[in-house]
Amino acid sequence: MKLKSIIVEDEETSRAILKNYLKKYCPNVEILGEAANVDEALVLIRHQDLDLVFLDVEMPYGNAFDLLDKVGDINFETIFVTAYNHYAIEALNAHASYYLMKPISIDDLIKAVDYVSEIKMKEDALQDQVLVPKTHSVNGKITIPQQDGFEVLDTANIMYCKADDNYTEIYLNNNKKKLVSKTLKYFEEALIDSNFARVHKSYLVNVNEVTKYLKGKGGSVVLSNGKQIMVSASKKADFLSYFK
């Protein structure tokens, strides 16, 4: 995974060295900008969605801790890079991910970046768990992941779901469609208590939206929007059980 990062360091030579090391030894770090002081850093932080900030402690017109105080709600990891070891406790209290001493050891730099990568991967995994539809804890709702968070849908507004390889197309009753990077099996399990029936290997329908059943080996269902969907012979009995 790419770590979107900036370097905050007042010495141009030090910035160049760190940037060169990162490019050569830590290709997963993407440098989006550089700052030489607190004010420049604040502009970058407020206009970028960052994963990581490489932060020198002593800078003109304020230090690293002044910067973090001004940022307030910090949603990125920090790696302190400094020539002074007496800031370690303050850095720890500021929730630093790593503390690197100058001159920078390449091995230590790689360890620091790997450590932050691990943190971000764990956060992503946790977020993915949070985004699992929770029909038991949030009645009549499911969540679907998006790049910037998740969207909450009313299950009653879902007409049907269609498999698209490892993705699922969710068709809503307002004629809109959502493409989600989850399998149809995933939604079948998530919607198990919300009157959704798996009528075909590729389709999961909202039983409340069924207006007609047409006979056949498996038959087919017609939904309230006029959509007709085949019912597999193997799924027929399960589907009809909703109407007994």
Side-chain angles (χ1 to χ4, degrees):
M1 64 179 295
K2 284 286 186 181
L3 295 173
K4 293 177 288 184
S5 312
I6 63 170
I7 297 172
V8 183
E9 163 67 67
D10 65 310
E11 294 179 4
E12 187 176 352
T13 303
S14 295
R15 290 201 304 272
I17 290 171
L18 177 55
K19 193 173 180 180
N20 182 56
Y21 281 176
L22 290 169
K23 184 177 180 181
K24 191 170 182 180
Y25 301 105
C26 304
N28 61 322
V29 175
E30 180 183 2
I31 302 299
L32 300 182
E34 302 173 30
N37 55 55
V38 169
D39 290 339
E40 289 179 6
L42 270 176
V43 171
L44 288 177
I45 290 169
R46 286 171 177 168
H47 290 84
Q48 304 274 10
D49 181 19
L50 299 173
D51 298 309
L52 173 61
V53 173
F54 293 91
L55 188 55
D56 186 19
V57 176
E58 295 193 347
M59 292 175 285
Y61 316 114
N63 62 26
F65 306 107
D66 297 324
L67 171 61
L68 295 176
D69 284 342
K70 289 182 178 181
V71 170
D73 188 13
I74 297 170
N75 58 0
F76 52 80
E77 302 300 321
T78 54
I79 294 178
F80 278 75
V81 185
T82 179
Y84 306 96
N85 59 14
H86 57 271
Y87 289 114
I89 297 299
E90 284 182 87
L92 183 65
N93 290 335
H95 305 290
S97 299
Y98 220 93
Y99 193 90
L100 292 175
M101 292 292 297
K102 296 179 182 176
I104 297 171
S105 157
I106 292 170
D107 286 343
D108 286 344
L109 177 62
I110 293 171
K111 283 179 187 176
V113 170
D114 285 348
Y115 182 70
V116 171
S117 293
E118 263 186 56
I119 291 173
K120 298 305 291 185
M121 283 190 286
K122 286 176 182 176
E123 284 178 356
D124 286 350
L126 179 61
Q127 184 184 49
D128 198 45
Q129 288 179 341
V130 171
L131 295 175
V132 171
K134 295 181 176 178
T135 54
H136 298 293
S137 58
V138 185
N139 190 36
K141 308 280 187 180
I142 62 167
T143 61
I144 59 173
Q146 296 182 325
Q147 264 192 326
D148 57 352
F150 62 87
E151 181 179 0
V152 180
L153 296 180
D154 285 318
T155 57
N157 292 335
I158 299 173
M159 299 287 292
Y160 66 95
C161 303
K162 180 183 177 184
D164 183 5
D165 292 328
N166 289 324
Y167 289 78
T168 297
E169 296 174 354
I170 298 177
Y171 290 83
L172 305 175
N173 56 16
N174 59 3
N175 294 319
K176 290 186 178 179
K177 180 178 77 172
K178 307 284 184 181
L179 182 64
V180 186
S181 58
K182 301 287 185 184
T183 64
L184 190 63
K185 176 69 173 175
Y186 171 89
F187 281 102
E188 181 183 10
E189 293 173 354
L191 295 167
I192 195 167
D193 294 325
S194 299
N195 287 330
F196 279 76
R198 185 76 174 262
V199 296
H200 188 278
K201 68 177 182 180
S202 298
Y203 287 95
L204 181 70
V205 302
N206 184 344
V207 176
N208 293 317
E209 296 293 337
V210 174
T211 61
K212 188 183 292 187
Y213 171 74
L214 302 174
K215 291 181 179 180
K217 184 175 181 181
S220 62
V221 295
V222 179
L223 303 182
S224 60
N225 65 351
K227 173 72 175 178
Q228 185 171 334
I229 296 173
M230 294 291 293
V231 177
S232 299
S234 61
K235 304 289 186 182
K236 182 177 179 178
D238 288 341
F239 168 71
L240 294 177
S241 69
Y242 281 89
F243 298 92
K244 287 180 179 178

